[in-house]
Amino acid sequence: MVCPQCRREYPAGALTCPECGVTLAATLPPAPAPTPDVSELVTFSEGFDPTLFLLAQSALQDAGILYVTEGEGIQDLFAGGRGGLGFNPVTGPPRIRVKREDAERARAALSEVPEPLPSDAELAALAESAGQPEEVGPVPSGLGGLLVALGVILHFRAVWIAHDLSDLVTGWNSKEWRDVVTPGGRAYHPLWAPYRVGFLAIDSLLFLWAMILIALFWRRNRWFSTATSLFLLADWVSEVLSLLVLWQIPSYAAVMSVYTLRDFFLLGILALVGTLYLRDSARVRATFTE
């Protein structure tokens, strides 16, 4: 038998300690954990989210780290035989304090604690902000910027097509044309006549189309963007078809050069850049609305 107070041992059968007058016990109770000096503790976490406070304590317990919680109004949970340093409620935000030598281990243990879920108020604020459009500067509108350059190109292209048509019509009965379309002529080929008629028809259509685009441009009509994109593509395709036909005529293919492909490359670049600009430009969308 053992005296719980003076911890002296007595033979079996003794009931009380003759010196202390305390009832003897079969075994000694476990010694209480020493309360560390406040100077040995460091504040590890302050202002912890209340919903994760118990989870953080559990992580420290699993890591075998003794800690003190402050600023909470509930009993510390030191279950699992890990033990704590005690409970010291104070006012202010909840805090977790650990021994100075355990600070690094505590940081590693709490790094596994998940981020707190947003509250109902935070979710409502996020939903409200998501429904509001972002503030942006004024959208440019009117005939300005690159839109002016596109308008100039359309006017120039209309004049260019008109010039080609004029050369074709004025030279319709020239000796050079008679030689290439008349069987037995010096440079006759059966494709010259269809090419000549097709050239006249397609360029006449493109000229009328360009004049309509110019009218839509100045009227700021909402169909301008779509009609111009289709025109640029059709203009380039007509150039491709023209080159394919001329490539089948030996007398012309023999003198073809890089200069001959000039219009092919220029119209292709114009079609690509112009279509992308008309599709993505905020100025175009804000200008052509009528």
Side-chain angles (χ1 to χ4, degrees), residues 9 18 30 38 66 68 76 87 91 93 104 111-112 114 138 193 240 244 254 261:
E9 296 184 3
V38 175
L66 300 180
V68 169
D76 283 2
F87 177 66
T91 59
E104 291 300 326
S111 65
E112 304 297 329
V240 173
L244 289 177
L261 301 177

Side-chain angles (χ1 to χ4, degrees), residues 115-201:
E115 293 292 331
L117 295 175
S119 63
D120 293 340
E122 291 173 332
L123 289 175
L126 287 174
E128 182 179 356
S129 63
Q132 297 176 351
E134 295 183 2
E135 295 184 1
V136 295
V139 177
S141 62
L143 302 179
L146 292 178
L147 192 55
V148 173
L150 180 60
V152 171
I153 290 174
L154 287 177
H155 286 70
F156 177 75
R157 183 58 181 152
V159 174
W160 188 350
I161 296 174
H163 178 267
D164 288 344
L165 285 173
S166 176
D167 287 346
L168 178 63
V169 172
T170 55
W172 190 267
N173 291 318
S174 65
K175 181 179 183 303
E176 181 180 359
W177 270 113
R178 289 198 303 270
D179 287 342
V180 298
V181 299
T182 303
R186 178 176 54 84
Y188 170 76
H189 193 278
L191 286 179
W192 276 119
Y195 171 78
R196 188 180 188 187
V197 175
F199 182 91
L200 178 63

